[in-house]
């Protein structure tokens, strides 16, 4: 197929975990570091679906080829151009951030993919994708997507204070980490505010955008909130540690799940990887960025992280380092144990 890149020892498409991301503008490095975090910690094979502007495609190919083969054999990847199947492409492109609306069209474009995890470029995995992939099995018969709440506390949440359109639940949902059963999405008739009968996902997108475009602030995320407001039975809501953002700690810690279990997926929105407003988030980003692939995870990733965190204790997020370190520590121990067991097993002679 045009635009596809595959690796020789590719994970079989039905067996692999599908991960989609949309990268435009200056998001190349951020996207590569997100993919690196996915490969570092995951167990099963991965299939990456990278939607990128044409100018970024050669860069992605070049950088991914530079990764050592012990890691490249864990994934295959396809790079796709940015396309919008319904409505006006220029209008979709201008919605919120360049190309962000592309994620709304994943069920339409990836017709052969059954389920998928979509993430924003500014996401980092602190544990195996396998763990969030298992949530697909927890969907009941009507659920077809999973997202985390936009906020834990309605009185300081954005939607509950400012939204001028319908939104899901009491605080809305954040679409930066979205688990989707694409087969179900393609086969569902969605209730909507336009006609009495149901509409398919593809039929609904453009009229919905036309109806609410003067009221939406966060682009495609707002459209998803409107869709799930009318179809709440279709959404599985996962806890905040699966989409942990600066809002969860910058006003004081308000994500109970992360306090108990640690952060599973870090979402550095508000540009926090690239400024000094939230040094805890930036520290994690830089340590994963600088980690030399073949090195020891504890020595080259965990210890530098601990020492960087000491410089962030003056911030509210920096006061709870265990929240950021708990899962990553657990994951590293597992990786280490597996390697030791495999190594011992390979060298054991009866």
């Amino acid at each position: 197929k045009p635009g596809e890149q595959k690796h020789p020892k590719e994970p079989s498409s039905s067996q692999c975990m599908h991960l989609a991301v949309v990268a435009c503008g200056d998001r190349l490095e951020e996207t590569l570091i997100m993919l690196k975090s996915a490969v570092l910690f995951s167990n099963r094979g991965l299939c990456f679906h990278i939607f990128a502007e044409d100018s970024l495609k050669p860069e992605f190919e070049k950088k991914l080829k530079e990764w050592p083969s012990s890691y490249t054999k864990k994934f295959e990847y396809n790079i796709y151009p940015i396309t919008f199947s319904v409505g006006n492409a220029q209008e979709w492109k201008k919605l919120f951030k360049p190309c962000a609306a592309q994620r709304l069209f994943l069920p339409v474009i990836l017709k052969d993919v059954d389920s998928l995890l979509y993430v924003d470029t500014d996401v980092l995995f602190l544990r195996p994708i396998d763990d969030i992939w298992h949530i697909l099995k927890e969907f009941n018969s009507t659920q077809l997507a999973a997202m985390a709440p936009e906020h834990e506390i309605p009185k300081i949440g954005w939607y509950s204070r400012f939204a001028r359109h319908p939104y899901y639940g009491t605080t809305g949902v954040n679409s930066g980490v979205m688990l989707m059963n694409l087969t179900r999405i393609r086969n569902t008739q969605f209730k909507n505010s336009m006609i009495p009968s149901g509409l398919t996902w593809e039929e609904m997108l453009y009229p919905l955008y036309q109806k609410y475009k003067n009221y939406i602030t966060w682009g495609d995320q707002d459209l998803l909130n409107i869709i799930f407001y009318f179809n709440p039975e279709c959404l599985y809501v996962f806890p905040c540690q699966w989409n942990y953002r600066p809002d969860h700690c910058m006003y004081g810690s308000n994500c109970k799940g992360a306090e108990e279990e640690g952060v599973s997926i870090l979402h550095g929105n508000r540009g926090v990887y690239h400024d000094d407003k939230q040094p805890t988030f930036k520290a994690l980003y830089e340590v994963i960025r600088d980690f030399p692939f073949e090195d020891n995870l504890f020595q080259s990733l965990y210890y530098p992280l601990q020492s960087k965190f000491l410089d962030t204790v003056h911030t509210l997020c920096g006061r709870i380092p265990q929240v950021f370190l708990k899962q990553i520590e657990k994951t590293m121990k597992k990786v280490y144990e597996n390697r030791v067991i495999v190594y011992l097993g390979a060298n054991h002679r009866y």
Side-chain angles (χ1 to χ4, degrees), residues 179-191:
L179 194 57
M180 295 185 277
N181 182 320
L182 300 183
T183 304
R184 285 188 180 180
I185 290 174
R186 287 186 285 261
N187 294 337
T188 297
Q189 294 282 321
F190 291 88
K191 296 191 287 294

Side-chain angles (χ1 to χ4, degrees), residues 149-331:
E150 172 64 23
H151 218 286
E152 298 304 296
I153 303 164
K155 69 170 185 279
I156 51 175
W158 194 90
Y159 284 105
S160 34
R161 289 185 298 160
F162 306 117
R164 296 183 297 149
H165 58 77
Y167 57 89
Y168 179 89
T170 51
T171 58
V173 280
N174 182 283
S175 57
V177 179
M178 184 164 52
L179 194 57
M180 295 185 277
N181 182 320
L182 300 183
T183 304
R184 285 188 180 180
I185 290 174
R186 287 186 285 261
N187 294 337
T188 297
Q189 294 282 321
F190 291 88
K191 296 191 287 294
N192 59 85
S193 58
M194 294 161 300
I195 62 166
S197 60
L199 288 168
T200 67
W201 185 265
E202 194 174 13
E203 287 167 345
M204 174 176 59
L205 288 178
Y206 197 59
L208 201 66
Y209 166 66
Q210 286 297 328
K211 178 167 181 175
Y212 290 104
K213 66 179 176 186
N214 296 328
Y215 305 100
I216 59 182
T217 306
W218 307 110
D220 47 312
Q221 177 172 293
D222 291 348
L223 287 179
L224 289 162
N225 266 285
I226 295 163
I227 291 169
F228 291 111
Y229 168 83
F230 289 107
N231 301 271
E233 72 288 351
C234 294
L235 191 67
Y236 177 107
V237 178
F238 49 59
C240 46
Q241 66 266 29
W242 291 105
N243 185 350
Y244 191 89
R245 283 159 279 129
D247 304 66
H248 288 120
C249 54
M250 61 195 274
Y251 311 112
S253 183
N254 63 40
C255 174
K256 290 280 178 288
E259 286 169 31
E260 288 159 18
E261 281 186 32
V263 174
S264 297
I265 294 180
L266 192 76
H267 183 181
N269 64 344
R270 301 173 175 266
V272 291
Y273 298 148
H274 313 292
D275 62 28
D276 297 314
K277 291 193 178 117
Q278 297 300 335
T280 325
F281 282 75
K282 192 178 183 182
L284 266 156
Y285 179 78
E286 289 178 347
V287 164
I288 293 173
R289 178 191 69 194
D290 299 340
F291 173 69
F293 271 105
E294 303 285 16
D295 271 25
N296 175 301
L297 279 167
F298 274 105
Q299 212 173 318
S300 304
L301 202 148
Y302 189 69
Y303 298 137
L305 199 52
Q306 280 185 313
S307 61
K308 269 182 187 261
F309 273 11
L310 293 174
D311 302 332
T312 75
V313 291
H314 61 286
T315 67
L316 281 170
C317 295
R319 281 182 203 170
I320 46 171
Q322 71 288 357
V323 164
F324 295 88
L325 292 171
K326 200 179 272 187
Q327 274 302 335
I328 211 165
E329 192 177 313
K330 214 166 143 183
T331 300

Side-chain angles (χ1 to χ4, degrees), residues 1-212:
K1 288 177 197 170
E4 293 199 357
Q5 295 295 324
K6 294 208 170 180
H7 287 268
K9 288 185 184 168
E10 59 191 39
S12 133
S13 190
S14 58
Q15 294 305 307
C16 71
M17 299 177 289
H18 294 267
L19 179 69
V21 65
V22 179
C24 284
D26 57 359
R27 297 302 180 102
L28 177 84
E29 183 193 71
E30 218 172 61
T31 307
L32 286 163
I33 292 160
M34 179 276 289
L35 297 173
K36 183 179 184 181
S37 72
V39 172
L40 280 181
F41 301 132
S42 290
N43 302 315
R44 269 174 62 191
L46 294 157
C47 290
F48 295 147
H49 301 273
I50 303 164
F51 289 82
E53 288 173 307
D54 296 344
S55 58
L56 294 181
K57 186 181 172 183
E59 279 297 297
F60 270 115
E61 289 170 355
K62 178 171 166 277
K63 295 285 186 197
L64 290 170
K65 280 194 183 98
E66 288 168 7
W67 290 5
S69 62
S70 55
Y71 286 94
T72 56
K73 70 179 185 209
K74 289 175 74 176
F75 66 90
E76 63 170 68
Y77 68 95
N78 298 334
I79 301 176
Y80 308 83
I82 304 292
T83 50
F84 303 98
S85 63
V86 291
N88 178 323
Q90 287 314 318
E91 228 173 338
W92 284 122
K93 265 191 184 156
K94 287 194 205 109
L95 182 62
F96 191 43
K97 289 187 178 150
C99 315
Q102 181 71 76
R103 81 180 101 176
L104 296 171
F105 294 89
L106 297 175
V108 182
I109 298 167
L110 301 174
K111 287 188 166 59
D112 299 333
V113 176
D114 174 62
S115 295
L116 177 87
L117 177 64
Y118 163 85
V119 293
D120 284 348
T121 58
D122 52 10
V123 154
L124 291 169
F125 294 94
L126 305 188
R127 68 190 280 184
I129 290 188
D130 310 58
D131 299 339
I132 191 169
W133 196 254
H134 288 316
I135 292 176
L136 285 162
K137 292 190 169 69
E138 294 175 25
F139 284 13
N140 67 23
S141 59
T142 60
Q143 288 164 338
L144 44 76
M147 286 185 264
E150 172 64 23
H151 218 286
E152 298 304 296
I153 303 164
K155 69 170 185 279
I156 51 175
W158 194 90
Y159 284 105
S160 34
R161 289 185 298 160
F162 306 117
R164 296 183 297 149
H165 58 77
Y167 57 89
Y168 179 89
T170 51
T171 58
V173 280
N174 182 283
S175 57
V177 179
M178 184 164 52
L179 194 57
M180 295 185 277
N181 182 320
L182 300 183
T183 304
R184 285 188 180 180
I185 290 174
R186 287 186 285 261
N187 294 337
T188 297
Q189 294 282 321
F190 291 88
K191 296 191 287 294
N192 59 85
S193 58
M194 294 161 300
I195 62 166
S197 60
L199 288 168
T200 67
W201 185 265
E202 194 174 13
E203 287 167 345
M204 174 176 59
L205 288 178
Y206 197 59
L208 201 66
Y209 166 66
Q210 286 297 328
K211 178 167 181 175
Y212 290 104

